[in-house]
Amino acid sequence: MNDRAALALLLEHGPLSRTRIGKLTGLSKPTASQLLARLEAAGLVVATGVTEGRPGPNAQLYAVNPRAAHAAGLDVNPRRIRAAVADVTGAVAGEFELPTPKKAAGDVVRQVTDALDGAVKAAGITRGEVHRLVIGTPGAFDPSTGRLRYASHLPGWHSPTLLDELAAALPMPVEYENDVNLVAVAEQRLGAARGHDDFVLLWNEEGLGAALVLGGRLHRGFTGGAGEVGFLPVPGAPLVRRVTRANSGGFQELAGAQVLARLAREHGVEDLPRGQHAEVAAALVRRAAQEAGDGGTGPYAGLLDSYATGLATGLASLVAVLDPELVVLSGEVIVAGGEALRARVAAELGELAASRPRLVIGGVQRHPVLRGALESALAATRDEVFDTSR
């Protein structure tokens, strides 16, 4: 327990002296010295320098050995696989992005290993030095069948033997998690949800989804489909039947990225940008937020109001059922709206829901799915590597 406490302090505070570790843990100087000697012999801490600028002799500083272990994460969507490797301190050591055009969607195992190997090479290590890998995908793998559900738009990932094939090809333990759930992990550990045990994260990028954190833990549901709110029937959108076949639902049709171009045209916006749905939607929302900040009242202001109403309509159902303390708004399309969009969603939600959770924009905005995958992989890796009782 003392070893884990010391390692946790070193991860949180960075290099510390023996005296400082003793004060923070309540250990005597001899016990702290023995602890550091034990951790140094195990390769878990290293001497990194000495204190300077203080009265008295300089003291030796110790830090977690970054090479004690490595963990990896993958963020998968229909167009690319983004991979990263982090050392045990959480510092990203290598990143790689592999394009995955639809015509090359057949060999998922090869794509995963190529993406991982690219990040491993960038980190200057070997595949065998990665202790754990977490892969984030849309949808979720059904625990009873091993098949990917709720993500028919992800080509090549629906084989019933895929997980076995990946396990055979990769030398480390592999875990799979919904991409939006991983964003919630990143926000809870590094971002806007730190210190919160109950929150909802609403995500809008490639698709519309949510993550539900209750009592500090992700709620995944019986088949892993908790949070697939794009399928939620909502007022203001036609009923969508056979939603898994359509890969859409009422909330997706009301406020998903693909509807922003239509909303823009309805409000009289001309010269729409071109690109993927999420790129177009983010560009439109960003322009609308800028004009709102400048006090504009034209077509872009109407677009932002309509989009905020759509988001609040779906959120009202989640708030009525879950009564969360906090709602985190995330994803490229939502983040593009910034405070102007957040304020409008909060105002609309105040009219539609009985309780009023605090709404915030997500704090982890660079590759949040990948960061969540790394945080998840690092937590399990540290539990294993930092266990000095074995």
Side-chain angles (χ1 to χ4, degrees), residues 46-282:
V46 290
T48 60
V50 295
T51 58
E52 296 180 355
R54 294 182 179 182
N58 294 335
Q60 179 69 61
L61 294 174
Y62 296 88
V64 173
N65 180 7
R67 298 192 65 84
H70 290 82
L74 265 63
D75 168 16
V76 179
N77 75 18
R79 300 191 310 276
R80 52 97 186 118
I81 299 177
R82 185 176 288 142
V85 171
D87 66 41
V88 76
T89 70
V92 175
E95 295 181 86
F96 185 78
E97 187 168 310
L98 177 74
T100 55
K102 289 183 179 180
K103 64 182 180 181
D107 193 351
V108 168
V109 174
R110 177 66 178 273
Q111 291 175 357
V112 167
T113 55
D114 284 353
L116 176 61
D117 286 344
V120 162
K121 182 179 179 181
I125 61 173
T126 66
R127 192 194 292 180
E129 293 177 82
V130 176
H131 281 68
R132 185 172 296 268
L133 170 65
V134 172
I135 299 177
T137 69
F141 286 92
D142 190 318
S144 63
T145 66
R147 300 191 68 159
L148 185 65
R149 301 187 65 186
Y150 317 110
S152 59
H153 62 298
L154 192 63
W157 282 77
H158 300 88
S159 166
T161 62
L162 177 60
L163 299 189
D164 290 336
E165 293 170 15
L166 286 168
L170 297 167
M172 74 289 292
V174 183
E175 297 177 9
Y176 303 87
E177 184 59 90
N178 172 262
D179 52 0
V180 184
N181 282 349
L182 291 175
V183 178
V185 170
E187 291 291 346
Q188 190 174 31
R189 297 183 183 174
L190 304 172
R194 280 180 294 182
H196 294 274
D197 288 335
D198 293 274
F199 69 94
V200 168
L201 182 139
L202 183 67
W203 169 269
N204 200 1
E205 198 160 294
E206 300 289 338
L208 189 62
L212 316 176
V213 177
L214 308 174
R217 302 183 64 179
L218 281 164
H219 175 68
R220 297 178 175 87
F222 180 65
T223 65
E228 294 291 341
V229 296
F231 299 134
L232 188 70
V234 294
L239 277 178
V240 178
R241 301 185 185 275
R242 299 183 179 181
V243 292
T244 54
R245 181 176 297 180
N247 199 40
S248 188
F251 197 12
Q252 184 70 37
E253 296 297 318
L254 184 68
Q258 80 277 13
V259 308
L260 266 295
R262 174 180 59 78
L263 285 177
R265 286 191 293 268
E266 289 176 356
H267 284 281
V269 174
E270 300 177 353
D271 299 324
L272 298 181
R274 296 182 179 181
Q276 300 286 338
H277 287 315
E279 296 168 351
V280 171

Side-chain angles (χ1 to χ4, degrees), residues 273 277-290 300 332-333 336:
H277 287 315
E279 296 168 351
V280 171
L284 288 169
V285 173
R286 187 175 296 108
R287 172 72 182 276
Q290 289 170 349
Y300 279 98
E332 181 183 8
V333 182

Side-chain angles (χ1 to χ4, degrees), residues 349-363:
L349 190 60
E351 298 289 331
L352 299 175
S355 62
R356 298 190 178 185
R358 187 163 66 94
L359 267 66
V360 297
I361 297 291

